Amino acid sequence: MRHLIDITDFSVAEIDNLLDLADKMIEHPEDYRDCLHGRILATLFFEPSTRTRLSFESAMQSLGGSVLGFSSAASSSTAKGESLTDTIRTVSCYSDVIAMRHPVDGAAMAGSFRSRVPIINAGDGGHLHPTQTLTDLMTIRREKGRLTDMVVGVCGDLKYGRTVHSLIGAMSRYKGVKFVMISPKELKVPEWVTSELTKLGIPFTEVESMEEAMPQLDILYMTRVQKERFDSEETYLRLKDVYILTPDKLANAKADLSIMHPLPRVNEIHPDVDDDPRAVYFEQVRCGRFVRMALIKTLVEDAASNGKPNGVPAPEENEIRGTVKCGNPRCITCQEETLPQIFRLKDADEKVYRCVYCDWEHKA
Ligand code: CP
């Protein structure tokens, strides 16, 4: 059964097909009005959301299906101590597809091991957010007419910003893409992201000044400093306003720059930028509904023909199972200790293995 846990679960051709379908849906929504009649989407949001949850719900209703779910862990049996995997096992008996958001890294992967229906990762902790990336790719393709040959600047909280991790994973598979990562040292992009770029030979630079980076950028992807992931309030307060995009900072930007943000924003884009024709963050919001329609339709129809639950993956040759504990305290395996610890070989020369849930790297 297909799930969407990481954007790289879909090939470039499959992503391009999803974007083509989403473009058709935005032009002719009436053609898809009843295609999932009688099907049910469950939205399990253990963490707050406006765009992702409501766009999933709007998407399913636009396809003729219906929706059930919860918008906080407090209103589910999680509050009584039920495990995530038992919750997923239960809800997958009531629905045809599940979109889940959880504050812990790797939660969606853990859910997929126990689900009878496709799981869509709607954000797992500070790790990944693949459906935001589909939204971003659709927006970029509609703005630029391509996903190749561009300089993508990502700015802000690159450590905990899950949208950035997924966006880099996706865009690095398109030819001619370079990344400029703009952040303070404390919020640099994690090593599991940069080591992949290095391995693939994708050019990237890491800088601290947004203004210096600006002239070369085709995309400026701003992000919020993720208050909810910080252990120290003092560190958050010191870093939260480190980048604030105002109209004057765009003086040296390209005329066809696209200014993006997954939203919600706090202070990092001043509202005076909203009227700049290069600001496309509310166009991202619009695309989110249609690309999620395309995704839900694709996964539900795929499950109807290939719908065997996957279960816990069978052991592979190049893996370590059960003998190494994940060193990421935010990994789901640190919360649900009955989950099998699984590390897969990432770099044979360096003997680097990765946790299958959260990508934390272990050197053997
Ligand atoms: N972009 C995004 O994930 O927004 P929400 O947190 O409102 O869902």
Side-chain angles (χ1 to χ4, degrees), residues 113-297:
F113 293 170
R114 294 296 177 205
S115 181
R116 302 158 70 100
V117 301
I119 293 282
I120 301 172
N121 182 4
D124 61 324
H127 184 217
L128 297 171
H129 193 347
T131 69
Q132 178 63 46
T133 298
L134 292 175
T135 300
D136 301 338
L137 296 180
M138 181 173 175
T139 310
I140 294 170
R141 204 175 76 155
R142 287 173 72 84
E143 288 297 316
K144 304 268 184 230
R146 65 183 198 281
L147 287 166
T148 58
D149 303 301
M150 62 182 81
V151 179
V152 179
V154 288
C155 179
D157 184 350
L158 310 185
K159 179 178 180 183
Y160 298 122
R162 57 194 175 195
T163 61
V164 166
H165 306 157
S166 290
L167 181 66
I168 293 173
M171 294 280 313
S172 61
R173 296 191 296 168
Y174 289 89
K175 121 180 140 41
V177 173
K178 298 179 190 167
F179 296 97
V180 181
M181 300 171 183
I182 309 159
S183 75
K185 286 191 176 59
E186 291 101 322
L187 298 179
K188 276 172 68 167
V189 77
E191 196 155 330
W192 62 266
V193 177
T194 49
S195 68
E196 196 69 21
L197 293 177
T198 305
K199 204 174 105 191
L200 296 171
I202 313 286
F204 71 92
T205 51
E206 295 182 282
V207 301
E208 291 194 47
S209 164
M210 178 170 67
E211 289 87 332
E212 280 175 31
M214 193 69 82
Q216 61 182 305
L217 304 181
D218 298 296
I219 304 282
L220 173 58
Y221 193 95
M222 298 295 293
T223 61
R224 175 177 68 92
V225 176
Q226 307 273 304
K227 180 180 184 185
E228 62 275 30
R229 314 264 177 246
F230 278 72
D231 294 325
S232 150
E233 167 97 5
E234 183 272 324
T235 311
Y236 168 71
L237 291 174
R238 181 163 51 78
L239 296 172
K240 73 183 176 73
D241 290 329
V242 68
Y243 300 108
I244 300 178
L245 184 64
T246 48
D248 57 303
K249 291 183 184 153
L250 290 163
N252 295 325
K254 288 187 179 176
D256 65 347
L257 173 73
S258 295
I259 305 164
M260 302 181 69
H261 193 306
L263 305 180
R265 70 173 146 184
V266 185
N267 283 333
E268 56 280 357
I269 300 182
H270 192 280
D272 284 353
V273 176
D274 296 2
D275 292 330
D276 188 309
R278 295 170 291 186
V280 298
Y281 25 94
F282 288 102
E283 188 55 25
Q284 284 170 267
V285 172
R286 190 166 91 94
C287 287
R289 173 177 166 211
F290 293 96
V291 85
R292 288 181 174 104
M293 284 170 69
L295 175 66
I296 294 168
K297 180 177 185 295

Side-chain angles (χ1 to χ4, degrees), residues 45 48-53 101 122 129 132 162-163 262-264:
F45 277 63
S49 167
T50 295
R51 275 147 293 273
T52 311
R53 185 171 67 83
R101 170 172 290 187
H129 193 347
Q132 178 63 46
R162 57 194 175 195
T163 61
L263 305 180

Side-chain angles (χ1 to χ4, degrees), residues 22-92:
D23 280 339
K24 284 186 197 152
M25 287 172 157
I26 211 167
E27 301 311 328
H28 296 288
E30 67 283 359
D31 290 353
Y32 302 90
R33 198 177 289 143
D34 289 317
C35 66
L36 290 188
H37 178 75
R39 304 302 187 126
I40 298 172
L41 164 75
T43 53
L44 309 188
F45 277 63
F46 300 83
E47 198 180 58
S49 167
T50 295
R51 275 147 293 273
T52 311
R53 185 171 67 83
L54 295 181
S55 64
F56 266 115
E57 297 192 357
S58 169
M60 190 54 164
Q61 289 172 18
S62 302
L63 295 167
S66 54
V67 179
L68 53 80
F70 52 79
S71 57
S72 75
S75 62
S76 76
S77 285
T78 306
K80 302 176 202 161
E82 184 169 54
S83 68
L84 169 68
T85 44
D86 281 1
T87 303
I88 296 295
R89 242 176 159 144
T90 301
V91 177
S92 72

